[in-house]
């Protein structure tokens, strides 16, 4: 732990205002009359920051819930110079967080809320020392079972651990596969999901499947970009996969199109997925691809998101690109139009919001009735050190970078795990970082 930073009990407070992925504070005029002079936003009124280390992440009281369409910080990690990377939630009393430290970037640490207190369970023994560059994720099912998955960045080897009886057990190694897709990035959808005793893991576009006893690699007719799962009905696992497939590849360029499939009878069943096409002349390098898919437990519907785009700057007249949003009952799809948001969606933060609507990303909510609302960022945390002692000329802001979001089943509360970066507390370009969990509480149906 960095001694220059305060403990969770000495950090002096926070309040609430607004949010998104890479959510930042706003610069304000310093009142000196000098044009262009900026200073950090004023420190928020003090609050009990120790509570953020000890309290429930989603306590059901008016004083704890977020208000006014805003995110609110709800848990502050005791770790310093670290980041949350993964989140698994089976209920308001079962929340798992996985993070990594800057000094041990490939050795995960865990935090768990059990309904009474936060604890720091040990990760699997063979992961404690770190080692090979890797990505990590968590998956959980409705009964509270948890899986931790390590995916190496070189070669894509998988190590999968299942928590049982308070201890981690490593599953047999999955079969080695060679994918035809680049390694999945943080802006793509989930790459590991569970339903019942079944687990699916995306490895460079190939999906390996654990049926509770053994691994297999069911054929998939397109490269996978994202996975989704739902609680098993009558013991039957439910899962979906989204990606894209190249079509129209004659002598001209390929024009990739959305592709989806669902899990049925132990295999992937290709779904009829809407296509997207620009009017002639088609712009260069046109593509329509999906990179996230989520299941909404309230409506029992599935959402898939992506982008219909092209290589800008190479045509005299360019058509409008668009965000792809599809919804359906898990077997059929319908196109949904959304207004141009002026940015690509950060699909790692797409999540149902508990009333039949959807967080398109951490900055935008689409209600069940199709209305679009902006989500505001959480207020700034006080700077965690004495540096700088004097006011800065500029406000370098305090981003809240969100790694992932999850709806707490049976509630209207969405949790977002990530890291706060204290840019104003560094003169070296290496600002302090603190893992933090935020909540967004949906109000009403619209």
């Amino acid at each position: 732990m960095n001694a220059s930073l305060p403990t969770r009990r000495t950090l002096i407070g926070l309040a609430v205002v607004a949010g998104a992925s890479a959510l930042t504070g706003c610069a304000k005029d310093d009142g000196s009359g000098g044009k262009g002079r900026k200073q950090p936003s004023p420190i928020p009124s003090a609050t009990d920051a120790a509570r953020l280390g000890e309290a429930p992440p989603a306590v059901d009281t008016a004083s704890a819930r977020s208000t006014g369409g805003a995110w609110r910080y709800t848990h502050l990690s005791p770790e310093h110079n670290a980041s949350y990377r993964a989140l698994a939630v089976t209920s308001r009393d079962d929340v798992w967080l996985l993070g990594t430290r800057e000094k041990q970037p490939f050795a995960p640490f865990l935090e768990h809320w059990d309904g009474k207190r936060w604890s720091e369970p040990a990760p699997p023994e063979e992961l404690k020392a770190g080692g090979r560059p890797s990505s990590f994720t968590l998956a959980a099912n409705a009964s509270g079972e948890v899986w931790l998955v390590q995916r190496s960045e070189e070669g894509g080897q998988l190590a999968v651990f299942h928590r049982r009886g308070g201890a981690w057990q490593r599953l047999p190694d999955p079969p080695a596969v060679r994918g035809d897709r680049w390694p999945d990035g943080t802006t793509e959808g989930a790459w590991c999901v569970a339903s019942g005793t079944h687990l699916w893991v995306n490895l460079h576009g190939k999906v390996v499947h654990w049926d509770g006893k053994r691994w297999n690699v069911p054929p998939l007719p397109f490269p996978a970009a994202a996975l989704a799962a739902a609680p098993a009905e009558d013991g039957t696992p439910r899962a979906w996969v989204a990606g894209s497939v190249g079509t129209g590849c004659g002598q001209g360029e390929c024009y990739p199109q959305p592709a989806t499939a669902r899990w049925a009878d132990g295999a992937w069943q290709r779904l009829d997925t809407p296509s997207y096409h620009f009017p002639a002349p088609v712009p260069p390098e046109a593509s329509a691809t999906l990179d996230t898919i989520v299941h909404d437990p309230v409506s029992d519907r599935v959402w898939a998101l992506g982008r219909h785009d092209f290589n800008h700057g190479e045509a005299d007249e360019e058509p409008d690109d668009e965000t792809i949003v599809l919804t359906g009952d898990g077997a059929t799809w319908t196109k949904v139009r959304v207004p141009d948001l002026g940015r690509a969606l950060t699909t790692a933060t797409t999540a149902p919001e508990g009333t039949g609507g959807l967080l398109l990303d951490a900055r935008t909510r689409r209600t069940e009735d199709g209305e679009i609302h902006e989500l505001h960022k959480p207020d700034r945390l006080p700077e965690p050190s004495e540096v700088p002692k004097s006011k800065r000329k500029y406000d370098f802001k305090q981003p809240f970078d969100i790694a992932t979001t999850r709806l707490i089943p049976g509630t209207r509360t969405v949790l977002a795990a990530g890291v706060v970066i204290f840019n104003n507390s560094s003169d070296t370009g290496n600002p302090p970082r603190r893992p933090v969990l935020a909540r967004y509480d949906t109000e009403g149906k619209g």
Side-chain angles (χ1 to χ4, degrees):
M1 185 174 294
N2 190 333
S4 68
L5 300 177
T7 66
R8 72 172 87 172
R9 296 191 179 280
T10 59
L11 197 64
I12 63 172
L14 81 157
V16 179
V17 177
S21 186
L23 303 170
T24 62
C26 301
K28 295 187 178 181
D29 197 301
D30 64 4
S32 65
K35 294 183 178 179
R37 294 178 180 270
K38 304 288 183 181
Q39 72 175 33
S41 300
I43 292 177
S45 58
T47 242
D48 183 8
R51 183 191 62 78
L52 294 178
E54 306 295 347
V59 61
D60 193 20
T61 61
S63 61
R65 291 194 296 267
S66 66
T67 58
W71 289 95
R72 178 174 189 155
Y73 290 128
T74 186
H75 171 65
L76 189 65
S77 174
E79 295 287 343
H80 294 267
N81 293 324
S83 306
Y84 287 140
R85 304 293 186 183
L87 169 67
V89 185
T90 64
S91 72
R92 65 172 68 243
D93 294 332
D94 186 31
V95 178
W96 287 86
L97 289 160
L98 179 149
T100 57
R101 307 174 184 91
E102 290 183 3
K103 290 185 177 180
Q104 289 182 293
F106 307 118
F109 66 87
L110 294 167
E111 296 177 33
H112 179 236
W113 174 257
D114 65 1
K116 296 180 179 179
R117 63 184 64 85
W118 282 101
S119 62
E120 300 174 23
E125 185 68 30
E126 56 200 277
L127 299 182
K128 290 181 179 180
R132 60 185 182 182
S134 302
S135 299
F136 298 94
T137 195
L138 297 170
N141 64 17
S143 63
E145 291 185 272
V146 179
W147 290 264
L148 189 160
V149 183
Q150 177 193 40
R151 183 179 62 186
S152 69
E153 296 178 4
E154 297 180 3
Q157 293 91 349
L158 291 175
V160 183
F161 302 87
H162 182 213
R163 189 171 177 85
R164 180 180 299 163
W168 293 102
Q169 298 179 353
R170 182 167 178 170
L171 300 184
D173 287 343
V177 298
R178 296 182 62 86
D180 51 3
R181 182 183 175 85
W182 57 89
D184 300 278
T186 57
T187 59
E188 292 179 324
W191 55 273
C192 177
V193 296
S195 177
T197 60
H198 292 246
L199 190 75
W200 296 265
V201 186
N202 182 5
L203 184 60
H204 305 343
K206 300 289 187 181
V207 178
V208 296
H209 169 238
W210 172 258
D211 66 4
K213 296 180 180 180
R214 60 185 63 84
W215 290 101
N216 58 86
V217 188
L220 183 66
F222 57 87
L227 298 165
E233 291 185 337
D234 301 324
T236 302
R238 295 190 293 164
W240 296 265
V241 60
S244 58
V245 60
T247 60
C249 295
Q251 296 181 350
E253 292 185 349
C254 290
Y255 196 159
Q257 289 294 316
T260 57
R262 68 172 178 175
W263 188 255
D265 298 324
W268 291 114
Q269 179 187 77
R270 179 90 175 262
L271 298 178
D272 185 13
T273 309
S275 61
Y276 290 76
H277 297 278
F278 292 113
V282 176
E285 300 179 35
S287 65
T289 59
L290 297 173
D291 56 16
T292 198
I293 188 166
V294 297
H295 172 261
D296 178 12
V298 174
S299 62
D300 199 25
R301 297 182 67 80
V302 182
W303 294 81
L305 286 79
R307 192 73 181 163
H308 186 204
D309 210 339
F310 58 94
N311 188 7
H312 292 259
E314 295 189 12
D316 294 333
E317 295 186 9
E318 296 185 340
D320 294 331
D321 47 24
E322 61 184 320
T323 298
I324 296 174
V325 180
L326 304 174
T327 189
D329 59 7
T332 60
W333 294 107
T334 300
K335 289 184 178 181
V336 175
R337 294 193 62 84
V338 296
D340 182 16
L341 303 176
R343 66 179 186 277
L345 293 176
T346 307
T347 53
T349 56
T350 302
E353 40 78 290
T355 68
L358 187 72
L359 300 190
L360 299 176
D361 65 4
R363 296 171 58 183
T364 312
R365 174 191 171 208
R366 183 189 185 274
T367 70
E368 184 182 28
D369 297 330
E371 296 182 2
I372 300 295
H373 297 277
E374 178 185 1
L375 277 63
H376 303 290
K377 58 182 178 291
D379 205 354
R380 300 165 67 129
L381 291 164
E383 294 297 318
S385 71
E386 294 295 324
V387 180
K389 293 183 179 180
S390 58
K391 294 179 179 179
R392 283 188 180 267
K393 182 178 180 180
Y394 299 105
D395 178 5
F396 292 99
K397 303 184 179 181
Q398 191 186 91
F400 173 34
D401 285 347
I402 298 175
T404 186
T405 55
R406 292 288 185 273
L407 173 69
I408 301 177
T411 75
R412 296 179 177 181
T413 300
V414 179
L415 297 180
V419 60
V420 170
I421 306 171
F422 296 98
N423 286 327
N424 282 332
S425 288
S426 173
D427 289 319
T428 65
N430 186 26
R433 304 164 68 90
R434 195 79 181 268
V436 69
L437 186 69
R439 64 185 287 173
Y440 170 74
D441 296 279
T442 307
E443 297 179 349
K445 292 285 287 182

